[in-house]
Amino acid sequence: MAFRNLCLLAILSGLPLPAFANDTSLDGLKRRIIGTWSSISCELRPQQNLQDPGLAPTSTYLRREFSFDADGKFAAIITVFADAGCKSPAIAFDFAGSLVWHDANPAVEGAWSQDYVIDRKLELTVLAPPMAAQLNQLPQAACGTGAFVVGERRDILGKPCVLLKYVEGSKHVVDHDLLYVREDTPNMLFMGAKHVDGTGFYFPENRPLVGLQQPMIKLK
């Protein structure tokens, strides 16, 4: 309805009609994602209960920042917060790797399936004492070695960590997702909608095929 009203307003005022995305090719998408992208606002995610997946998912609040280059590399920082307003940072994940592209994704025309292969950097930093206390209750070597200290970066690239999912047979974390940027709205980048049960995209069969999550906006 909103788009229809916009079209009527354009006709009555003599303005050109809004453009539709014409380039739905993979090459076009690869060009459009180049740059740095950030969350528009605090984001809500369902999170599978790590201790008992049979329980209802919990709520996670976060902000994202991603950058993509022309060589198929990406880098990202995801900061998780303790509150719904994203005012109290709890832990940050700093990671980088390579994109592996697949077929067109049915979520929307112009979306393409891809994998984030985190093979260049994977670090976590605890940002609040309550989070450090909670993580320090984990068994020894559950996520790296030694006690968690607020403000201290921990390199967990290629190392087991209960906070993430290492699929058997792979030494790197891989996230099976999609990317989508309309040609006529190049300042918004979409990834796949998270599953309502909180399960991650750690297996190809868990790749999102329906729905888009809140977009990120282009910073540069």
Side-chain angles (χ1 to χ4, degrees), residues 22-142:
N22 294 317
D23 183 4
T24 59
S25 69
L26 178 55
D27 286 341
L29 178 62
K30 287 180 179 180
R31 290 191 298 271
R32 288 194 291 277
I33 66 171
I34 295 172
T36 300
W37 307 79
S38 179
S39 295
I40 297 174
S41 61
C42 188
E43 300 179 6
L44 169 65
R45 295 283 186 280
Q47 176 65 52
Q48 187 179 37
N49 190 298
L50 296 176
Q51 296 179 333
D52 187 351
L55 295 177
T58 58
S59 297
T60 298
Y61 306 97
L62 56 85
R63 285 183 176 271
R64 299 173 290 159
E65 184 170 303
F66 275 73
S67 63
F68 301 90
D69 65 24
D71 296 325
K73 301 290 191 297
F74 75 91
I77 298 176
I78 293 180
T79 304
V80 179
F81 294 81
D83 65 301
C86 286
K87 303 295 184 183
S88 302
I91 190 170
F93 296 88
D94 188 349
F95 54 98
S98 306
L99 295 177
V100 176
W101 293 97
H102 298 285
D103 296 334
N105 189 286
V108 62
E109 186 177 5
W112 287 82
S113 297
Q114 48 77 225
D115 301 335
Y116 294 106
V117 181
I118 304 174
D119 55 6
R120 294 193 294 134
K121 179 169 72 169
L122 180 53
E123 298 175 342
L124 64 85
T125 305
V126 178
L127 302 173
M131 177 59 72
Q134 181 179 344
L135 293 178
N136 283 328
Q137 295 178 14
L138 294 172
Q140 285 292 322

Side-chain angles (χ1 to χ4, degrees), residues 5 46 51 64 81 94 96 102 105 114 117 128 141 149 155 159 175 191 194 198-200 203:
N5 291 339
Q51 296 179 333
R64 299 173 290 159
F81 294 81
D94 188 349
H102 298 285
N105 189 286
Q114 48 77 225
V117 181
V149 177
D155 181 4
K159 303 171 185 177
D175 209 36
M191 298 179 187
K194 298 302 179 183
T199 53
F203 299 94

